[in-house]
Every structure is written in C-alpha cells, then in structure tokens.
C-alpha cells in the first residue's frame, strides 16, 4: 500500500459554533471532495469517514443547519473531532471523575 488515502466519492464540511446547530459549509464529489479533504488536512481538521451520514448531509443545501433528525449522528462526529484534537466543546466544564 502506498499510504495514500483512496479518492473520496463525497466530502462534507461542517461548522459548529457551540450554540447553534451545525451548518454545511462545504460539500462536493470527486475532485471537489478531494480538495475539501486536502484543505481539512492543511488546517488540521479531524476527518471522520461515514459514507451513509455523508450521503444524508449532501442533500442539505450549502449554508443550512443540519436537521434535528441528524443531531445525534452529527454530535457523535463532533465529539470525535474534539477528542482527536484534544479540545473541549464551547461551554464545557469538567465535572471531575466519577
């Protein structure tokens, strides 16, 4: 294996400010998807691969908030991104250990 990631079919970028629902900020297929992934890599944006979720999110118009039906799935992706980056969500306060 060459270590290169396979060419993506689709890529979706989300923006989450911690107060409002996440928004679709970029989406594309084939070459545009690859460009989105390259930009994410350049800016150290964590990536999460979920073709089914990406297919659903691709149907949402650019700039729109995600629908309530996808909150849980997207929240899991956002939590994954925070975990990978070592960051805490806005407003997060440690509750200590259980």
């Amino acid at each position: 294996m060459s270590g290169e990631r396979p060419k993506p079919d689709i890529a979706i970028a989300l923006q989450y400010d911690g107060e409002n629902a996440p928004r679709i900020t970029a989406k594309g297929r084939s070459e545009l998807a690859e460009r989105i992934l390259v930009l994410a890599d350049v800016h150290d944006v964590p990536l999460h691969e979920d073709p089914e979720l990406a297919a659903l999110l691709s149907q949402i118009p650019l700039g729109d908030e995600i629908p309530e039906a996808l909150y849980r799935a997207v929240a899991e992706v956002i939590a994954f991104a925070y975990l990978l980056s070592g960051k805490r969500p806005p407003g997060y306060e440690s509750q200590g250990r259980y």
Side-chain angles (χ1 to χ4, degrees):
M1 228 175 179
S2 66
E4 292 183 27
R5 94 177 140 246
K7 297 264 186 221
D9 179 46
I10 188 168
I12 308 292
L14 299 171
Q15 177 187 21
Y16 178 59
D17 63 13
E19 294 182 22
N20 301 297
R23 291 188 177 277
I24 305 295
T25 56
K27 62 181 182 174
R29 294 186 175 279
S30 302
E31 286 184 31
L32 184 53
E34 181 62 27
R35 289 175 49 201
I36 291 168
L37 295 179
V38 166
L39 281 172
D41 191 45
V42 166
H43 294 281
D44 294 322
V45 174
L47 301 175
H48 177 76
E49 189 173 336
D50 186 334
E52 291 174 5
L53 181 57
L56 291 170
L57 292 171
S58 73
Q59 297 173 36
I60 300 167
L62 195 60
D64 280 9
E65 291 183 347
I66 63 163
E68 193 172 334
L70 295 178
Y71 280 7
R72 183 180 191 109
V74 171
E76 290 176 5
V77 172
I78 291 170
F80 170 81
Y82 276 114
L83 180 68
L84 284 182
S85 66
K87 296 179 183 176
R88 301 265 189 234
Y92 176 86
E93 293 182 27
S94 179
Q95 302 297 316
R97 295 187 174 248
Y98 293 97

